[in-house]
Amino acid sequence: MKTRTTVSVAVSACVALVACGCGPEKAKESADARPSQPSASTPAKVPSGTPSASAGTEKPSATVPGIRPAPRTKERAIQRYEQYLHGLGHEDIATVCEVAGPGAKKAEDQGFGPCTSTYVIVFQMISPEQKKALQTATVDPQRVPVRTLDKIEMPLEAVRSSATFSEEDLGSYTLEYLENDYYITDGK
């Protein structure tokens, strides 16, 4: 019980940290990993459009030719959240910091470390059973209410996995459409 609570607290802290800390460090350390989620064939092109934490108004013009904005749909938000969950399960810091970059930036501004540092700690707090479950976790679209496509809540109850997670273990998250894709901006 204490381990799960600790893991939950750590995951929540890391989400907060990721929301604040993945921006600059993530851009430097794992700029090549960002395109690997949408398309692994464009790693050299991504650095020019990499700063996920620093939302620029010229992002559409700064994007690499041939890369289109992600659709602003519930399905895309769910896909991005599943990428995050799978990243947690695989201890894939690049994926986790990519999806949670804006939220990590907020956490870093509040005194937490950068995403790349904080999630390493979170990975250590997740049990092997939970990691394995996160690797194949899915989200039930019927449990994801949508009020606006700009900001979608991913409740814990929507996560389907072989392990049980509590609010303290995993929590619920908010994904916002920023810079032509969905990113985690807040965790509860």
Side-chain angles (χ1 to χ4, degrees):
M1 246 3 205
K2 282 190 172 188
T3 302
R4 284 192 176 204
T5 301
T6 304
V7 170
S8 298
V9 170
V11 170
S12 296
C14 287
V15 168
L17 292 176
V18 170
C20 295
C22 276
E25 283 200 39
K26 196 276 178 197
K28 293 177 187 174
E29 295 178 17
S30 57
D32 294 343
R34 281 188 173 191
S36 67
Q37 290 180 21
S39 70
S41 64
T42 59
K45 296 179 183 179
V46 175
S48 64
T50 296
S52 67
S54 58
T57 57
E58 298 179 9
K59 211 42 153 170
S61 63
T63 55
V64 179
I67 297 178
R68 297 181 185 185
R72 191 180 305 226
T73 63
K74 176 180 177 177
E75 292 78 16
R76 177 58 181 166
I78 289 171
Q79 180 185 35
R80 288 286 280 175
Y81 186 55
E82 287 176 348
Q83 287 176 343
Y84 169 79
L85 295 173
H86 299 167
L88 280 176
H90 288 288
E91 296 187 14
D92 180 353
I93 195 77
T95 297
V96 169
C97 289
E98 155 62 16
V99 178
K105 179 65 177 127
K106 288 178 188 177
E108 186 175 1
D109 292 346
Q110 294 174 359
F112 290 95
C115 179
T116 53
S117 301
T118 56
Y119 265 99
V120 169
I121 296 167
V122 171
F123 293 153
Q124 295 172 358
M125 300 172 86
I126 302 171
S127 75
E129 175 186 297
Q130 289 175 321
K131 286 178 191 173
K132 186 173 182 176
L134 287 169
Q135 292 173 8
T136 57
T138 59
V139 175
D140 180 355
Q142 293 180 334
R143 294 187 172 251
V144 178
V146 177
R147 292 187 184 98
T148 172
L149 290 174
D150 291 329
K151 194 174 191 178
I152 297 179
E153 303 296 323
M154 294 289 169
L156 173 65
E157 299 77 33
V159 175
R160 298 288 173 245
S161 74
S162 60
T164 301
F165 292 94
S166 68
E167 284 292 333
E168 290 132 6
D169 291 334
L170 187 59
S172 299
Y173 295 93
T174 302
L175 279 78
E176 290 187 58
Y177 194 85
L178 308 168
E179 299 179 16
N180 299 321
D181 210 345
Y182 283 96
Y183 296 91
I184 293 175
T185 57
D186 192 21
K188 298 172 185 157

